[in-house]
Coordinates of all heavy atoms in Angstrom, one line a residue:
M714 N -23.7 0.9 9.3 CA -22.5 0.5 10.1 C -21.9 -0.7 9.4 O -22.5 -1.6 9.0 CB -23.1 0.0 11.5 CG -22.0 -0.6 12.3 SD -22.8 -1.2 13.9 CE -21.6 -0.5 15.0
A715 N -20.6 -0.6 9.3 CA -19.8 -1.7 8.6 C -19.7 -2.9 9.6 O -19.5 -2.7 10.8 CB -18.4 -1.2 8.2
T716 N -19.7 -4.0 9.0 CA -19.5 -5.2 9.8 C -18.2 -5.9 9.4 O -17.7 -5.7 8.3 CB -20.7 -6.3 9.6 OG1 -20.7 -6.6 8.2 CG2 -22.0 -5.7 10.1
R717 N -17.6 -6.5 10.4 CA -16.3 -7.2 10.2 C -16.6 -8.6 9.6 O -17.4 -9.4 10.2 CB -15.6 -7.2 11.5 CG -14.2 -7.8 11.4 CD -13.5 -7.7 12.6 NE -12.5 -8.7 12.7 CZ -11.7 -8.9 13.7 NH1 -11.7 -8.0 14.7 NH2 -10.8 -9.8 13.7
N718 N -15.8 -8.9 8.6 CA -15.9 -10.3 8.0 C -15.0 -11.2 8.8 O -13.8 -11.0 8.8 CB -15.5 -10.2 6.5 CG -15.5 -11.6 5.9 OD1 -15.6 -12.6 6.5 ND2 -15.4 -11.6 4.5
P719 N -15.5 -12.2 9.5 CA -14.7 -13.0 10.3 C -13.6 -13.8 9.6 O -12.7 -14.3 10.2 CB -15.7 -13.9 11.0 CG -16.9 -13.9 10.2 CD -16.9 -12.6 9.5
S720 N -13.8 -14.0 8.3 CA -12.8 -14.7 7.5 C -11.7 -13.8 7.0 O -10.7 -14.3 6.4 CB -13.4 -15.5 6.4 OG -14.0 -14.5 5.4
D721 N -11.8 -12.5 7.2 CA -10.7 -11.6 6.8 C -9.7 -11.4 7.9 O -9.9 -10.5 8.8 CB -11.4 -10.2 6.4 CG -10.3 -9.2 5.9 OD1 -9.1 -9.6 5.8 OD2 -10.7 -8.1 5.7
L722 N -8.7 -12.2 7.9 CA -7.7 -12.1 8.9 C -6.8 -10.9 8.9 O -6.0 -10.6 9.8 CB -6.8 -13.4 8.9 CG -7.6 -14.7 9.2 CD1 -6.6 -15.9 9.2 CD2 -8.3 -14.7 10.5
S723 N -6.8 -10.2 7.8 CA -6.0 -9.0 7.6 C -6.3 -7.9 8.6 O -5.5 -7.1 8.9 CB -6.0 -8.5 6.2 OG -7.3 -7.9 5.9
T724 N -7.5 -8.0 9.2 CA -7.9 -7.0 10.2 C -7.6 -7.4 11.6 O -7.8 -6.6 12.5 CB -9.4 -6.6 10.0 OG1 -10.1 -7.8 10.3 CG2 -9.7 -6.1 8.6
C725 N -7.1 -8.6 11.8 CA -6.9 -9.1 13.1 C -5.6 -8.5 13.7 O -4.6 -8.3 12.9 CB -6.8 -10.6 13.2 SG -8.4 -11.4 12.8
T726 N -5.5 -8.3 15.0 CA -4.3 -7.9 15.6 C -3.4 -9.1 15.8 O -3.8 -10.3 15.7 CB -4.6 -7.3 17.0 OG1 -5.1 -8.3 17.8 CG2 -5.5 -6.1 16.9
L727 N -2.1 -8.8 16.1 CA -1.2 -9.9 16.4 C -1.6 -10.8 17.5 O -1.6 -12.0 17.4 CB 0.2 -9.3 16.7 CG 1.4 -10.3 17.0 CD1 1.6 -11.3 15.9 CD2 2.6 -9.6 17.3
P728 N -2.1 -10.2 18.7 CA -2.6 -11.1 19.7 C -3.8 -12.0 19.3 O -3.9 -13.1 19.7 CB -2.9 -10.2 20.9 CG -2.1 -8.9 20.6 CD -2.0 -8.8 19.1
E729 N -4.6 -11.4 18.5 CA -5.8 -12.2 18.0 C -5.3 -13.4 17.2 O -5.9 -14.5 17.3 CB -6.7 -11.3 17.2 CG -7.5 -10.3 18.1 CD -8.3 -9.3 17.3 OE1 -7.9 -9.0 16.1 OE2 -9.4 -8.9 17.8
L730 N -4.4 -13.1 16.3 CA -3.9 -14.2 15.4 C -3.2 -15.3 16.2 O -3.4 -16.5 16.0 CB -2.9 -13.6 14.4 CG -3.6 -12.8 13.3 CD1 -2.5 -12.1 12.4 CD2 -4.5 -13.7 12.4
L731 N -2.4 -14.9 17.2 CA -1.7 -15.8 18.1 C -2.7 -16.7 18.8 O -2.6 -17.9 18.9 CB -0.8 -15.1 19.0 CG 0.5 -14.5 18.3 CD1 1.2 -13.6 19.3 CD2 1.4 -15.6 17.7
R732 N -3.7 -16.1 19.4 CA -4.8 -16.8 20.2 C -5.5 -17.7 19.2 O -5.8 -18.9 19.5 CB -5.7 -15.9 20.9 CG -5.2 -15.3 22.2 CD -6.3 -14.6 23.0 NE -7.0 -13.6 22.2 CZ -6.6 -12.3 22.2 NH1 -5.5 -11.9 22.8 NH2 -7.3 -11.4 21.5
G733 N -5.8 -17.2 18.0 CA -6.5 -18.1 17.1 C -5.7 -19.3 16.6 O -6.3 -20.4 16.5
G734 N -4.4 -19.0 16.4 CA -3.6 -20.2 16.0 C -3.4 -21.2 17.2 O -3.4 -22.4 16.9
D735 N -3.3 -20.7 18.4 CA -3.3 -21.6 19.5 C -4.5 -22.5 19.6 O -4.5 -23.7 19.8 CB -3.1 -20.8 20.9 CG -1.8 -20.1 21.0 OD1 -0.8 -20.5 20.2 OD2 -1.7 -19.2 21.9
W736 N -5.7 -21.8 19.4 CA -7.0 -22.5 19.4 C -7.1 -23.5 18.3 O -7.4 -24.7 18.5 CB -8.1 -21.5 19.3 CG -9.4 -22.1 19.2 CD1 -10.2 -22.7 20.1 CD2 -10.1 -22.3 17.9 NE1 -11.4 -23.2 19.5 CE2 -11.3 -23.0 18.2 CE3 -9.8 -22.0 16.6 CZ2 -12.2 -23.3 17.2 CZ3 -10.7 -22.3 15.6 CH2 -11.9 -23.0 15.9
A737 N -6.7 -23.1 17.1 CA -6.8 -24.0 15.9 C -5.9 -25.2 16.1 O -6.3 -26.3 15.8 CB -6.4 -23.2 14.7
G738 N -4.7 -25.0 16.6 CA -3.8 -26.1 16.9 C -4.3 -27.1 17.9 O -4.3 -28.3 17.8
A739 N -4.8 -26.5 19.0 CA -5.4 -27.4 20.1 C -6.6 -28.2 19.7 O -6.8 -29.3 20.1 CB -5.7 -26.5 21.3
E740 N -7.4 -27.6 18.8 CA -8.6 -28.2 18.3 C -8.4 -29.1 17.1 O -9.3 -29.8 16.6 CB -9.7 -27.2 18.1 CG -10.2 -26.5 19.3 CD -10.8 -27.4 20.3 OE1 -11.5 -28.3 19.9 OE2 -10.6 -27.1 21.5
G741 N -7.2 -29.0 16.5 CA -6.9 -29.8 15.3 C -7.5 -29.3 14.0 O -7.7 -30.1 13.1
F742 N -7.7 -28.0 13.9 CA -8.2 -27.4 12.7 C -7.1 -27.0 11.8 O -6.5 -25.9 11.8 CB -9.1 -26.2 13.0 CG -10.4 -26.5 13.7 CD1 -10.6 -26.2 15.0 CD2 -11.4 -27.2 13.0 CE1 -11.8 -26.5 15.6 CE2 -12.6 -27.5 13.6 CZ -12.8 -27.2 14.9
E743 N -6.7 -28.0 10.9 CA -5.5 -27.8 10.1 C -5.6 -26.6 9.2 O -4.6 -25.8 9.1 CB -5.3 -29.1 9.2 CG -5.1 -30.4 10.0 CD -6.5 -31.1 10.1 OE1 -7.6 -30.5 9.8 OE2 -6.4 -32.3 10.6
G744 N -6.7 -26.5 8.5 CA -6.9 -25.4 7.5 C -6.8 -24.0 8.2 O -6.2 -23.1 7.7
T745 N -7.4 -23.9 9.4 CA -7.4 -22.6 10.1 C -6.0 -22.3 10.6 O -5.5 -21.1 10.4 CB -8.4 -22.7 11.3 OG1 -9.7 -23.0 10.8 CG2 -8.4 -21.4 12.0
L746 N -5.3 -23.3 11.1 CA -3.9 -23.0 11.6 C -3.0 -22.6 10.4 O -2.2 -21.7 10.5 CB -3.3 -24.2 12.3 CG -1.9 -24.0 12.9 CD1 -1.9 -22.8 13.8 CD2 -1.4 -25.3 13.6
A747 N -3.2 -23.3 9.3 CA -2.4 -23.0 8.1 C -2.6 -21.6 7.6 O -1.7 -20.8 7.3 CB -2.6 -24.0 7.0
T748 N -3.9 -21.2 7.6 CA -4.3 -19.8 7.1 C -3.7 -18.8 8.1 O -3.2 -17.7 7.6 CB -5.8 -19.7 7.1 OG1 -6.3 -20.7 6.1 CG2 -6.2 -18.3 6.6
I749 N -3.8 -19.0 9.4 CA -3.3 -18.0 10.3 C -1.8 -18.0 10.2 O -1.2 -16.9 10.3 CB -3.7 -18.4 11.8 CG1 -5.2 -18.2 11.9 CG2 -3.0 -17.6 12.8 CD1 -5.9 -18.7 13.2
A750 N -1.1 -19.1 10.1 CA 0.4 -19.1 9.9 C 0.8 -18.3 8.7 O 1.8 -17.5 8.8 CB 0.9 -20.5 9.9
R751 N 0.1 -18.4 7.6 CA 0.4 -17.7 6.4 C 0.2 -16.2 6.6 O 0.9 -15.3 6.2 CB -0.4 -18.2 5.2 CG 0.2 -19.5 4.7 CD -0.5 -19.9 3.3 NE -1.9 -20.2 3.5 CZ -2.3 -21.5 3.7 NH1 -1.4 -22.5 3.9 NH2 -3.6 -21.7 3.8
Q752 N -0.9 -15.8 7.3 CA -1.2 -14.4 7.6 C -0.1 -13.8 8.5 O 0.4 -12.7 8.3 CB -2.5 -14.3 8.3 CG -3.0 -12.9 8.6 CD -3.2 -12.0 7.3 OE1 -3.8 -12.5 6.4 NE2 -2.8 -10.8 7.3
L753 N 0.3 -14.6 9.5 CA 1.4 -14.1 10.4 C 2.7 -14.0 9.6 O 3.5 -13.0 9.8 CB 1.6 -15.0 11.5 CG 0.7 -14.8 12.7 CD1 1.0 -15.9 13.8 CD2 0.9 -13.4 13.3
A754 N 3.0 -14.9 8.7 CA 4.2 -14.8 7.9 C 4.2 -13.6 7.1 O 5.3 -12.9 6.9 CB 4.3 -16.1 7.0
A755 N 3.1 -13.2 6.5 CA 3.0 -12.0 5.7 C 3.3 -10.7 6.5 O 3.8 -9.7 6.0 CB 1.6 -11.8 5.1
R756 N 3.1 -10.8 7.8 CA 3.3 -9.6 8.7 C 4.6 -9.7 9.5 O 5.0 -8.7 10.2 CB 2.2 -9.5 9.8 CG 0.9 -9.3 9.2 CD -0.1 -9.2 10.3 NE -1.5 -9.2 9.9 CZ -2.5 -8.9 10.7 NH1 -2.2 -8.6 12.0 NH2 -3.7 -8.9 10.2
S757 N 5.3 -10.8 9.4 CA 6.5 -11.0 10.2 C 7.8 -10.6 9.5 O 7.9 -10.5 8.3 CB 6.6 -12.5 10.6 OG 5.5 -12.9 11.4
P758 N 8.9 -10.4 10.3 CA 10.2 -10.1 9.8 C 10.6 -11.3 8.9 O 10.2 -12.4 9.2 CB 11.1 -9.9 11.0 CG 10.2 -9.6 12.1 CD 8.9 -10.3 11.8
P759 N 11.4 -11.0 7.9 CA 11.9 -12.1 7.0 C 12.4 -13.3 7.8 O 12.2 -14.5 7.3 CB 12.9 -11.5 6.1 CG 12.5 -10.0 6.1 CD 11.9 -9.7 7.5
A760 N 13.1 -13.1 8.9 CA 13.7 -14.2 9.6 C 12.7 -15.3 10.1 O 13.1 -16.4 10.4 CB 14.6 -13.7 10.7
H761 N 11.5 -14.8 10.3 CA 10.5 -15.7 10.9 C 9.5 -16.3 9.8 O 8.7 -17.2 10.2 CB 9.6 -15.0 11.9 CG 10.4 -14.5 13.1 ND1 11.0 -15.3 14.0 CD2 10.9 -13.2 13.4 CE1 11.7 -14.6 14.9 NE2 11.6 -13.3 14.5
R762 N 9.5 -15.8 8.7 CA 8.6 -16.2 7.6 C 8.7 -17.7 7.3 O 7.7 -18.4 7.1 CB 8.7 -15.4 6.4 CG 8.3 -14.0 6.6 CD 8.4 -13.1 5.4 NE 8.2 -11.7 5.8 CZ 8.7 -10.7 5.2 NH1 9.5 -10.9 4.1 NH2 8.4 -9.5 5.6
G763 N 9.9 -18.2 7.2 CA 10.2 -19.6 6.8 C 9.5 -20.6 7.8 O 8.9 -21.5 7.4
E764 N 9.7 -20.3 9.1 CA 9.1 -21.2 10.1 C 7.6 -21.2 10.0 O 7.0 -22.2 10.1 CB 9.5 -20.7 11.5 CG 11.0 -20.8 11.8 CD 11.4 -20.2 13.1 OE1 10.7 -19.2 13.5 OE2 12.4 -20.7 13.7
L765 N 7.0 -20.0 9.8 CA 5.6 -19.9 9.7 C 5.0 -20.6 8.4 O 4.0 -21.3 8.5 CB 5.1 -18.5 9.8 CG 5.3 -17.9 11.2 CD1 5.2 -16.4 11.1 CD2 4.3 -18.4 12.2
H766 N 5.7 -20.5 7.4 CA 5.4 -21.2 6.1 C 5.5 -22.7 6.3 O 4.7 -23.5 5.8 CB 6.2 -20.7 4.9 CG 5.7 -19.4 4.4 ND1 4.5 -19.2 3.9 CD2 6.4 -18.2 4.3 CE1 4.4 -17.9 3.5 NE2 5.5 -17.3 3.8
E767 N 6.5 -23.1 7.1 CA 6.6 -24.5 7.4 C 5.5 -25.0 8.3 O 5.0 -26.1 8.1 CB 8.0 -24.8 8.2 CG 8.2 -26.2 8.5 CD 8.4 -27.2 7.3 OE1 8.4 -26.7 6.2 OE2 8.5 -28.4 7.6
V768 N 5.0 -24.2 9.2 CA 3.8 -24.6 10.0 C 2.6 -24.9 9.0 O 1.9 -25.9 9.1 CB 3.4 -23.5 11.0 CG1 2.0 -23.8 11.6 CG2 4.4 -23.3 12.1
A769 N 2.4 -23.9 8.1 CA 1.3 -24.1 7.1 C 1.5 -25.4 6.3 O 0.5 -26.1 6.0 CB 1.2 -22.9 6.2
R770 N 2.7 -25.7 5.9 CA 2.9 -26.8 5.1 C 2.7 -28.1 5.9 O 2.0 -29.0 5.4 CB 4.4 -26.8 4.5 CG 4.7 -28.0 3.6 CD 6.2 -28.1 3.3 NE 6.9 -28.7 4.5 CZ 6.9 -29.9 4.9 NH1 6.1 -30.8 4.2 NH2 7.6 -30.3 5.9
L771 N 3.1 -28.1 7.1 CA 3.0 -29.3 8.0 C 1.5 -29.6 8.3 O 1.1 -30.7 8.5 CB 3.8 -29.1 9.3 CG 5.3 -29.3 9.2 CD1 5.9 -28.9 10.5 CD2 5.6 -30.8 8.9
C772 N 0.7 -28.6 8.3 CA -0.7 -28.8 8.6 C -1.4 -29.8 7.7 O -2.3 -30.5 8.2 CB -1.5 -27.4 8.6 SG -1.2 -26.4 10.0
A773 N -0.9 -29.9 6.5 CA -1.5 -30.8 5.5 C -1.1 -32.2 5.8 O -1.8 -33.2 5.3 CB -1.2 -30.4 4.1
T774 N 0.0 -32.5 6.5 CA 0.5 -33.8 6.6 C 0.7 -34.3 8.0 O 0.6 -35.5 8.3 CB 1.8 -34.0 5.9 OG1 2.8 -33.0 6.4 CG2 1.7 -33.7 4.4
D775 N 1.0 -33.4 9.0 CA 1.4 -33.8 10.3 C 1.0 -32.7 11.3 O 1.8 -31.8 11.6 CB 2.9 -34.1 10.4 CG 3.3 -34.7 11.7 OD1 2.5 -34.7 12.7 OD2 4.4 -35.2 11.8
M776 N -0.3 -32.8 11.8 CA -0.8 -31.7 12.6 C 0.0 -31.6 13.9 O 0.2 -30.5 14.5 CB -2.3 -31.9 12.9 CG -2.9 -30.7 13.5 SD -2.8 -29.2 12.6 CE -3.7 -28.1 13.6
S777 N 0.4 -32.7 14.4 CA 1.2 -32.8 15.7 C 2.5 -32.0 15.5 O 2.9 -31.1 16.3 CB 1.5 -34.2 16.1 OG 2.3 -34.2 17.3
A778 N 3.2 -32.2 14.4 CA 4.5 -31.5 14.1 C 4.2 -30.0 13.8 O 5.0 -29.2 14.2 CB 5.2 -32.1 12.9
A779 N 3.0 -29.8 13.2 CA 2.7 -28.4 12.9 C 2.4 -27.6 14.2 O 2.9 -26.4 14.3 CB 1.4 -28.3 12.1
T780 N 1.8 -28.2 15.2 CA 1.6 -27.5 16.4 C 2.9 -27.3 17.2 O 3.0 -26.2 17.9 CB 0.5 -28.2 17.3 OG1 0.9 -29.5 17.6 CG2 -0.8 -28.1 16.7
V781 N 3.8 -28.2 17.2 CA 5.1 -28.0 17.8 C 5.8 -26.9 17.1 O 6.3 -26.0 17.8 CB 5.9 -29.3 17.8 CG1 7.3 -29.1 18.2 CG2 5.3 -30.4 18.7
M782 N 5.8 -26.9 15.8 CA 6.5 -25.8 15.0 C 5.8 -24.5 15.3 O 6.5 -23.5 15.4 CB 6.5 -26.2 13.6 CG 7.2 -25.1 12.7 SD 8.9 -24.8 13.1 CE 9.6 -26.1 12.2
W783 N 4.5 -24.5 15.4 CA 3.7 -23.2 15.7 C 4.3 -22.6 17.0 O 4.5 -21.4 17.0 CB 2.2 -23.6 15.8 CG 1.4 -22.4 16.4 CD1 1.0 -22.3 17.7 CD2 1.0 -21.3 15.7 NE1 0.3 -21.2 17.8 CE2 0.3 -20.5 16.7 CE3 1.2 -20.8 14.4 CZ2 -0.3 -19.3 16.3 CZ3 0.6 -19.5 14.1 CH2 -0.1 -18.8 15.1
N784 N 4.4 -23.4 18.0 CA 4.9 -22.9 19.3 C 6.3 -22.3 19.2 O 6.6 -21.3 19.7 CB 4.8 -24.0 20.4 CG 3.4 -24.2 20.8 OD1 2.6 -23.3 20.9 ND2 3.1 -25.5 21.0
L785 N 7.2 -23.0 18.4 CA 8.5 -22.5 18.2 C 8.5 -21.2 17.4 O 9.2 -20.3 17.7 CB 9.4 -23.6 17.6 CG 9.6 -24.9 18.4 CD1 10.3 -25.9 17.5 CD2 10.5 -24.5 19.6
A786 N 7.8 -21.2 16.3 CA 7.8 -20.1 15.4 C 7.2 -18.9 15.9 O 7.5 -17.8 15.5 CB 7.0 -20.5 14.1
T787 N 6.2 -19.0 16.9 CA 5.6 -17.8 17.4 C 6.1 -17.3 18.8 O 5.7 -16.3 19.3 CB 4.1 -18.1 17.6 OG1 3.9 -19.2 18.5 CG2 3.4 -18.4 16.3
A788 N 7.1 -18.0 19.3 CA 7.7 -17.6 20.6 C 8.2 -16.2 20.6 O 7.8 -15.4 21.5 CB 8.8 -18.6 21.0
S789 N 8.9 -15.8 19.6 CA 9.4 -14.4 19.6 C 8.3 -13.4 19.3 O 8.4 -12.2 19.7 CB 10.6 -14.2 18.6 OG 10.1 -14.5 17.3
L790 N 7.3 -13.8 18.5 CA 6.2 -12.9 18.2 C 5.4 -12.6 19.4 O 4.8 -11.6 19.6 CB 5.3 -13.5 17.1 CG 6.0 -13.7 15.7 CD1 5.1 -14.5 14.8 CD2 6.4 -12.4 15.1
R791 N 5.3 -13.6 20.3 CA 4.5 -13.4 21.6 C 5.1 -12.3 22.4 O 4.4 -11.5 23.0 CB 4.5 -14.7 22.4 CG 3.6 -15.7 21.6 CD 3.6 -17.1 22.4 NE 3.1 -18.1 21.5 CZ 1.8 -18.3 21.3 NH1 0.9 -17.5 21.8 NH2 1.4 -19.2 20.5
G792 N 6.4 -12.1 22.4 CA 7.1 -11.0 23.1 C 6.7 -9.7 22.5 O 6.4 -8.7 23.3
R793 N 6.6 -9.6 21.2 CA 6.1 -8.4 20.5 C 4.7 -8.1 20.8 O 4.3 -6.9 21.0 CB 6.3 -8.5 19.0 CG 7.7 -8.3 18.5 CD 7.8 -8.2 17.0 NE 6.6 -8.1 16.3 CZ 6.4 -8.5 15.0 NH1 7.5 -9.1 14.4 NH2 5.3 -8.4 14.4
A794 N 3.9 -9.1 21.0 CA 2.4 -8.9 21.2 C 2.2 -8.4 22.6 O 1.2 -7.7 22.8 CB 1.7 -10.3 21.0
R795 N 3.0 -8.8 23.5 CA 2.9 -8.3 24.9 C 3.3 -6.9 25.1 O 2.8 -6.2 25.9 CB 3.6 -9.2 25.9 CG 2.9 -10.5 26.2 CD 3.6 -11.3 27.3 NE 3.7 -12.6 26.8 CZ 4.8 -13.3 26.5 NH1 5.9 -12.7 26.7 NH2 4.7 -14.5 26.1
G796 N 4.4 -6.5 24.4 CA 5.0 -5.2 24.7 C 4.9 -4.4 23.5 O 4.8 -3.3 23.2

């Protein structure tokens, strides 16, 4: 039986990534939020990639700003995740 590698985000669904990013932001896990933001950017339409890359960049310097940007950058993705 194959086991899932928890560090392989490429197998996560959009809702899983969004929940993981929300958790990482709330708990202050900069590296985790940055990694999730980059993974979402790779899967997102071009119009949203810049915002998600900005979240990843901000994680290294201003976690508060990164979490605010996370909420803005993922708002439209949350609609896709629900429907």
Side-chain angles (χ1 to χ4, degrees):
M714 173 185 230
T716 59
R717 182 173 156 180
N718 180 346
S720 64
D721 181 7
L722 297 180
S723 67
T724 62
C725 292
T726 65
L727 179 59
E729 288 172 330
L730 289 171
L731 292 169
R732 280 191 306 272
D735 292 345
W736 171 82
E740 295 296 325
F742 291 110
E743 302 94 349
T745 302
L746 182 58
T748 299
I749 292 171
R751 285 190 290 272
Q752 182 66 42
L753 275 177
R756 297 184 190 187
S757 296
H761 299 289
R762 290 179 191 153
E764 293 173 332
L765 290 163
H766 284 297
E767 181 64 7
V768 170
R770 187 192 71 75
L771 284 169
C772 285
T774 59
D775 187 346
M776 191 58 178
S777 180
T780 57
V781 169
M782 178 61 83
W783 167 258
N784 289 320
L785 295 172
T787 59
S789 65
L790 297 174
R791 291 175 193 283
R793 281 188 10 206
R795 279 187 227 115

